[in-house]
Amino acid sequence: MSEVSEVTREEWAVWRKFYAMRRQLDRALEDQLQRDAGISGPDYEILLALFESPQRRLRSRDLTARIGWEKSRISHQVTRMEARGLVERSECEDDLRGTWIELTTQGRRAVLGAMREHTTAIRGLFFDVLTPEELSSLQAVSERVLEAINPPACDEDS
Amino acid sequence: MSEVSEVTREEWAVWRKFYAMRRQLDRALEDQLQRDAGISGPDYEILLALFESPQRRLRSRDLTARIGWEKSRISHQVTRMEARGLVERSECEDDLRGTWIELTTQGRRAVLGAMREHTTAIRGLFFDVLTPEELSSLQAVSERVLEAINPPACDEDS
DNA sequence: CATTATTGGTTGATGTGTCAACCATCAGAT
DNA sequence: ATCTGATGGTTGACACATCAACCAATAATG
């Protein structure tokens, strides 16, 4: 704690490698979705959430809770997707503030076309190249980094 | 290889954890840069590259090679940064196509204000919570995922 | 009931990232 | 010298992400 923030050469190398991996992985998955279903990653997240819901529809509020975006991001994204015919907005009867967001036939077709290949891609590029030990190591690392970012309200004081 | 693309419940859990970690880590580092120097992550990448260069300047082409962005992304970003006084464009004498991009005094101040805290943040949120084994595991994983994405032209055929 | 606070959602502004089109210059060929 | 092609860089259009401001409707409080 005395020597502030030294980071060794090897650590930087890992950091950069990790950085590059994240970006290229995202890129590869985006490309796959675009190829197989003509949709983007954000499109897919929304379509999948709707697809897995009761009437293939959700209120904006619940969509927000499900995928963890900001409400304005949802709204903008849905606007673009509605213009392309992937989803449809409709009024919510029991709560006049609410908005239903519903999968269209075309949206359903898109998500069906994307799912299998998407899963296959994730398996091929990620899970298939990890050993079980690496997988659990990665999980542990992820959890610990998340804890470091959001300290879990450690009331271990008085 | 027969059973296509099954992904177990535990694997999905790791994937989501990993996903969340990446996003929140980026977020946390962005916030730190904004707080400590009033700059964004992209700003920082450019400023740092310039700061580490001979005359604190680089041609757009070399900046592209250094940080691996597309040329248009560099151009747009530099335009915004120039408007805020962080960098300055000037003509390149020996190649009339070229453009020098140079750190301004203000840009130098910004990067100096950001560097130490940025390194400290990366250490605190990332390296400090990883064991040496996890670090090397992560490196191996990153390398293998990158290879899976960009198959290294394996001419082990005939 | 009237007031106030909260919730649900949209909108506009700005920054970021990618793609394709474009233009000027330079380098190499004839 | 001229023609051709590659290189260096900018621009415009669009998608994406965040923030703040806003409005309508509901819920909570007096």
Side-chain angles (χ1 to χ4, degrees):
Chain A
M1 204 182 275
S2 53
E3 273 309 298
V4 274
S5 66
E6 292 302 325
V7 173
T8 69
R9 185 178 307 277
E10 300 84 38
E11 284 173 331
W12 278 128
V14 177
W15 179 256
R16 278 195 304 274
K17 204 62 120 187
F18 177 60
Y19 210 84
M21 182 267 277
R22 291 188 296 164
R23 295 184 26 117
Q24 293 199 35
L25 185 53
D26 284 345
R27 206 29 152 48
L29 294 177
E30 283 270 340
D31 288 352
Q32 173 269 317
L33 287 174
Q34 200 63 56
R35 258 196 325 276
D36 293 330
I39 61 177
S40 68
D43 289 339
Y44 183 68
E45 282 205 69
I46 295 213
L47 293 177
L48 187 62
L50 296 178
F51 182 73
E52 290 173 339
S53 296
Q55 310 292 320
R56 280 159 178 34
R57 64 178 194 173
L58 280 175
R59 285 188 51 175
S60 194
R61 176 190 45 157
D62 302 322
L63 197 45
T64 295
R66 197 126 164 18
I67 63 185
W69 294 0
E70 300 188 14
K71 57 186 183 176
S72 83
R73 184 177 172 190
I74 298 274
S75 184
H76 284 304
Q77 186 69 32
V78 166
T79 299
R80 285 188 297 265
M81 292 172 71
E82 194 173 22
R84 288 188 294 141
L86 294 171
V87 297
E88 225 170 21
R89 274 191 248 241
S90 60
E91 288 185 6
C92 182
E93 298 304 333
D94 32 322
D95 184 346
L96 294 193
R97 296 169 297 182
T99 310
W100 284 110
I101 300 167
E102 190 173 352
L103 218 51
T104 61
T105 309
Q106 189 186 339
R108 192 162 159 282
R109 197 160 40 226
V111 72
L112 282 171
M115 278 196 308
R116 173 177 296 269
E117 298 302 322
H118 188 61
T119 304
T120 303
I122 291 178
R123 161 151 298 295
L125 298 179
F126 192 71
F127 292 116
D128 279 353
V129 302
L130 265 67
T131 66
E133 295 77 35
E134 287 169 341
L135 198 67
S136 67
S137 170
L138 193 59
Q139 175 160 38
V141 164
S142 299
E143 278 168 1
R144 235 167 307 124
V145 170
L146 284 170
E147 278 171 20
I149 294 170
N150 306 313
C154 52
D155 22 13
E156 40 96 4
D157 49 323
S158 71
Chain B
M1 203 179 277
S2 53
E3 274 308 299
V4 276
S5 68
E6 292 302 324
V7 174
T8 68
R9 185 178 307 278
E10 301 85 36
E11 283 173 331
W12 278 128
V14 177
W15 177 257
R16 279 195 302 274
K17 206 60 123 184
F18 177 60
Y19 211 84
M21 183 267 277
R22 293 189 294 165
R23 294 183 28 117
Q24 293 199 34
L25 185 54
D26 284 345
R27 207 25 150 52
L29 294 177
E30 283 269 341
D31 288 351
Q32 172 270 317
L33 287 174
Q34 199 63 56
R35 259 196 323 275
D36 293 330
I39 61 177
S40 68
D43 290 338
Y44 183 68
E45 282 205 70
I46 294 216
L47 293 177
L48 188 62
L50 296 178
F51 183 72
E52 289 172 340
S53 296
Q55 311 291 321
R56 280 159 179 34
R57 67 177 192 172
L58 280 176
R59 285 187 53 175
S60 194
R61 174 192 46 161
D62 302 324
L63 197 47
T64 295
R66 196 128 164 16
I67 63 184
W69 295 0
E70 300 187 13
K71 57 186 184 178
S72 86
R73 182 176 171 191
I74 298 273
S75 183
H76 284 305
Q77 187 68 31
V78 166
T79 299
R80 287 188 297 264
M81 292 172 71
E82 194 173 21
R84 289 188 294 142
L86 294 171
V87 297
E88 225 170 22
R89 274 192 249 242
S90 61
E91 288 185 6
C92 182
E93 298 305 332
D94 31 322
D95 185 345
L96 294 193
R97 294 170 298 182
T99 309
W100 284 110
I101 301 166
E102 189 174 353
L103 218 52
T104 61
T105 309
Q106 189 187 338
R108 193 161 157 283
R109 199 160 40 226
V111 72
L112 282 170
M115 277 197 307
R116 172 176 298 271
E117 298 302 324
H118 189 61
T119 305
T120 303
I122 292 178
R123 163 151 294 297
L125 298 179
F126 192 71
F127 292 115
D128 279 354
V129 303
L130 265 67
T131 66
E133 295 77 35
E134 287 169 341
L135 197 67
S136 66
S137 170
L138 193 59
Q139 175 159 38
V141 164
S142 299
E143 277 167 3
R144 233 166 309 124
V145 171
L146 283 171
E147 276 170 20
I149 295 171
N150 306 314
C154 51
D155 19 16
E156 39 96 2
D157 49 324
S158 73

